[in-house]
């Protein structure tokens, strides 16, 4: 069991939900299962690890040869994790299961995300591009498009995504939960908030998807 799986196990224990490891098989299965109010919860754990470019940055940093670097907050790494998790959850789940994707960024500090909640939300509901009309000087916003992992047509098996905050950069395991409003089986609201963690749903306000906090 890797550190992200251990942190996820600990986190759900703090929620009062006892996760059980699903035995590995020839087909890809989710990592954990549990029961909530008589219904099964399936949890797939994903890690965000360094890609080749980030590994090169770390090498240069360790050699004291790094002058500057840029950070791209496009959410694509999280989007890929969500899509991969959905396939595993969909193949294993039945029509009534709650399906949770737990994601932990385990990259080294120098290349890890500075805004993981923003990136996760962007990956789930799409990136935003604002531009100014030259002729009429109006501000327009293009949103969503191909950058979103969730819609009414795709990745609807995911009930919610949970950003697990653990590893060596936190003194204790914490989490941020963002619900999937397109889910076939929405995860019950308030469970994370009641335990003192940040919990959100996303609402289309104007032309932008915005996080709305759920309070216990």
């Amino acid at each position: 069991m890797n550190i992200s799986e251990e942190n996820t196990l600990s986190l759900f224990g703090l929620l009062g939900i006892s996760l059980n490891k699903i035995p590995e098989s020839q087909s890809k299965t989710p990592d954990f299962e549990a029961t909530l109010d008589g219904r099964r919860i399936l949890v797939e754990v994903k890690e965000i690890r360094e890609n080749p470019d980030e590994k090169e940055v770390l090498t240069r940093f360790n050699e004291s040869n790094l002058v500057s670097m840029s950070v791209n907050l496009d959410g694509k790494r999280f989007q890929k994790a969500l899509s991969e998790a959905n396939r595993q959850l969909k193949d294993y789940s039945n029509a009534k299961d709650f399906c949770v994707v737990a994601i932990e960024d385990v990259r080294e500090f120098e290349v890890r995300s500075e805004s993981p909640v923003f990136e996760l939300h962007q990956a789930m509901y799409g990136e935003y591009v604002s531009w100014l009309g030259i002729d009429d000087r109006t501000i327009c916003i293009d949103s969503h498009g191909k950058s979103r992992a969730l819609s009414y047509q795709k990745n609807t098996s995911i009930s919610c995504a949970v950003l697990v905050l653990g590893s060596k950069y936190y003194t204790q395991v914490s989490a941020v939960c963002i619900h999937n409003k397109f889910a076939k089986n929405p995860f019950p609201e308030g469970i994370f908030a009641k335990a003192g963690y940040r919990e959100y749903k996303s609402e289309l306000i104007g032309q932008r998807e915005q996080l709305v906090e759920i309070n216990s």
Side-chain angles (χ1 to χ4, degrees):
M1 191 178 297
N2 61 36
I3 185 65
S4 297
E5 290 173 336
E6 291 178 358
N7 288 339
T8 300
L9 194 66
S10 173
L11 170 67
F12 275 81
L14 294 171
L15 298 176
I17 299 172
S18 180
L19 296 181
N20 298 306
K21 186 76 171 143
I22 298 174
E24 294 184 2
S25 64
Q26 290 183 339
S27 59
K28 284 205 167 188
T29 61
D31 293 296
F32 298 104
E33 63 182 354
T35 302
L36 178 66
D37 297 332
R39 293 175 65 176
R40 187 170 66 166
I41 303 174
L42 300 176
V43 181
E44 171 60 18
V45 181
K46 292 295 184 184
E47 293 184 336
I48 305 297
R49 294 187 172 275
E50 292 91 355
N51 61 23
D53 289 340
E54 291 163 344
K55 288 180 180 178
E56 174 64 21
V57 167
L58 288 174
T59 299
R60 293 177 60 191
F61 184 86
N62 291 330
E63 294 173 350
S64 300
N65 191 31
L66 181 64
V67 177
S68 64
M69 63 173 287
S70 60
V71 178
N72 185 10
L73 299 179
D74 60 5
K76 289 181 181 177
R77 306 284 292 284
F78 289 88
Q79 184 184 9
K80 181 180 178 183
L82 289 165
S83 297
E84 290 177 350
N86 186 82
R87 286 194 292 271
Q88 290 173 248
L89 293 163
K90 182 179 179 180
D91 290 343
Y92 193 83
S93 64
N94 62 35
K96 295 183 179 180
D97 292 336
F98 299 125
C99 295
V100 179
V101 183
I103 304 177
E104 182 167 354
D105 188 343
V106 297
R107 291 174 290 181
E108 292 297 324
F109 177 78
E110 292 81 9
V111 295
R112 69 188 285 112
S113 174
E114 294 181 1
S115 306
V117 178
F118 171 82
E119 282 196 64
L120 177 57
H121 183 237
Q122 189 175 32
M124 294 173 73
Y125 293 104
E127 64 183 342
Y128 312 110
V129 180
S130 300
W131 52 280
L132 180 66
I134 296 176
D135 295 329
D136 56 6
R137 307 294 292 176
T138 57
I139 296 177
C140 301
I141 300 174
D142 295 331
S143 61
H144 316 314
K146 295 180 179 180
S147 65
R148 67 186 304 163
L150 308 178
S151 71
Y152 287 112
Q153 289 79 35
K154 60 181 182 180
N155 299 333
T156 58
S157 294
I158 297 173
S159 301
C160 64
V162 178
L163 183 65
V164 180
L165 305 172
S167 190
K168 56 189 174 183
Y169 300 113
Y170 297 88
T171 56
Q172 59 185 15
V173 177
S174 186
V176 177
C177 173
I178 303 178
H179 291 267
N180 178 11
K181 67 180 182 180
F182 305 115
K184 290 183 294 187
N185 297 310
F187 196 78
E189 292 185 2
I191 290 177
F192 284 86
K194 194 174 293 183
Y197 302 118
R198 285 179 291 166
E199 182 175 346
Y200 299 96
K201 55 186 175 181
S202 189
E203 294 184 357
L204 189 62
I205 300 175
Q207 298 181 60
R208 299 178 73 110
E209 288 282 353
Q210 297 187 33
L211 290 176
V212 177
E213 188 162 7
I214 295 169
N215 297 312
S216 59

